[in-house]
Amino acid sequence: MDGGTAGLAGDPGLMTPARPGGLIAFPITPSQDGIVDTDALSHLLEPLVAAGVDAVGLLGSTGSYPYFSRAQRRRAVAAAAECLAGRVKLMVGVGATATTAAVGMTQDALAAGAAFGLLAPVSYAPLTAREVVGLFEDVARVGLPLCVYDNPRNTQFAVTPEVLSHLARIDGVVAVKSPAPPQDQAAGALAALRGVVPAGFSVGFSVDWHAAAALRAGGDAWYSVLAGLYPRLCLELTTAASAADETALSALSKRLEPVWALFRAHGSYRVMHTLAARRGIPGAAPPRPVLPLAGEVAREVARVAETHLEG
């Protein structure tokens, strides 16, 4: 293991905290000039509650967490907690390049009433395994149950099963959000993760276009980008996958393939902001320097939304 890890992780705690599961919806964070639009955020969250998602994932990658100051992230968390009012669990992205900043974000989330923190090993200089374990140990001491956010494309660090075996035994680390592999690898990937974590540890998946197979294989949660705007459709897919309803899964997968194609071609981050703007959400443009999709690509997003998401 890179950097060495012997003796780094503590024993599992005696208490068993709640663990995330089911459909976790990740909305964008509407903003203008770096200021979070709390009214627009609440407008996005209410349909998620009404649809019955299991949790809201605030300030994930779709929610632009690296682009906001601690004050603005605190503003978003406070607004979300007030809007949700305990009706749906709140998971908050707490990743930051410095441990002190991640600890501060976690303290803010805990104080606001969040149920979970979503911690990615964010870095400028790529981190070693020892450094990542140390990060999780430090942040876990805050007392907010943590989900390991494995996002190697953006963080330059892959949470391998070996690394996860150490992280999962830190008191307060209760879940992992792992990129779902292609369909034919889903069962093997899930087994590899399950084999290194304690019983009851939540193993969930991102990458929307592979999530159905991961759920079908027995994954505990779908950390969904699309559910941030289209929760009912994603709940249909979640239910079909969990029930192994192959007929419904096939129909839904066929319906959503053009959406997944857009995600693969242009990135779910830009596509979701374009979809939110199309629906008239104020502050739906991504934070600069990221530019919104335009021209024929934006028109294609609108055509796909009209035909496959809203038809």
Side-chain angles (χ1 to χ4, degrees):
M1 185 175 185
D2 181 23
T5 56
L8 287 179
D11 294 330
L14 297 177
M15 296 183 63
T16 303
R19 291 169 170 82
L23 180 65
I24 303 172
F26 284 78
I28 69 165
T29 307
S31 65
Q32 295 183 359
D33 299 322
I35 307 300
V36 173
D37 187 328
T38 56
D39 290 338
L41 179 60
S42 296
H43 182 73
L44 283 171
L45 297 181
E46 282 294 349
L48 307 184
V49 176
V53 302
D54 294 283
V56 167
L58 188 75
L59 295 170
S61 293
T62 307
S64 306
Y65 74 94
Y67 295 96
F68 293 113
S69 68
R70 178 178 177 182
Q72 287 305 311
R73 288 165 74 166
R74 187 188 300 119
R75 173 183 171 90
V77 173
E82 180 178 2
C83 176
L84 297 177
R87 295 175 294 170
V88 171
K89 291 179 180 179
L90 178 60
M91 173 179 282
V92 176
V94 296
T97 52
T99 296
T100 52
V103 167
M105 307 289 184
T106 307
Q107 291 170 335
D108 294 342
L110 180 63
F116 309 104
L118 178 64
L119 179 58
V122 183
S123 65
Y124 178 77
L127 300 176
T128 68
R130 180 181 293 275
E131 289 164 342
V132 169
V133 172
L135 167 68
F136 275 82
E137 288 177 331
D138 289 338
V139 177
R141 292 190 186 100
V142 173
L144 181 66
L146 295 178
C147 175
V148 178
Y149 185 4
D150 183 14
N151 186 3
R153 180 177 178 180
N154 292 336
T155 64
Q156 304 181 71
F157 185 90
V159 180
T160 63
E162 184 181 2
V163 173
L164 183 61
S165 70
H166 293 271
L167 298 179
R169 285 164 175 77
I170 297 172
D171 191 19
V173 177
V174 300
V176 63
K177 174 181 185 283
S178 183
Q183 180 175 351
D184 61 350
Q185 301 172 31
L190 179 61
L193 296 176
R194 288 250 194 260
V196 300
V197 299
F201 191 92
S202 175
V203 179
F205 294 92
S206 59
V207 184
D208 278 12
W209 54 94
H210 290 155
L215 290 173
R216 177 71 179 82
D220 295 308
W222 175 16
Y223 296 83
S224 174
V225 172
L226 190 64
L229 273 178
Y230 299 94
R232 295 188 185 279
L233 189 55
C234 293
L235 279 166
E236 287 183 39
L237 187 62
T238 303
T239 300
S242 299
D245 185 338
E246 301 299 343
T247 301
L249 270 177
S250 178
L252 286 165
S253 296
K254 183 177 180 180
R255 176 179 177 179
L256 290 171
E257 177 51 35
V259 182
W260 306 150
L262 287 172
F263 280 12
R264 291 191 294 266
H266 307 291
S268 60
Y269 181 78
R270 288 179 172 85
V271 172
M272 290 304 295
H273 281 80
T274 302
L275 288 169
R278 180 180 177 276
R279 292 178 63 165
I281 303 297
R288 300 274 298 206
V290 181
L291 297 175
L293 298 176
E296 180 54 34
V297 174
R299 288 189 287 273
E300 177 61 16
V301 171
R303 284 193 292 269
V304 169
E306 183 176 347
T307 304
H308 297 275
L309 294 174
E310 300 160 4

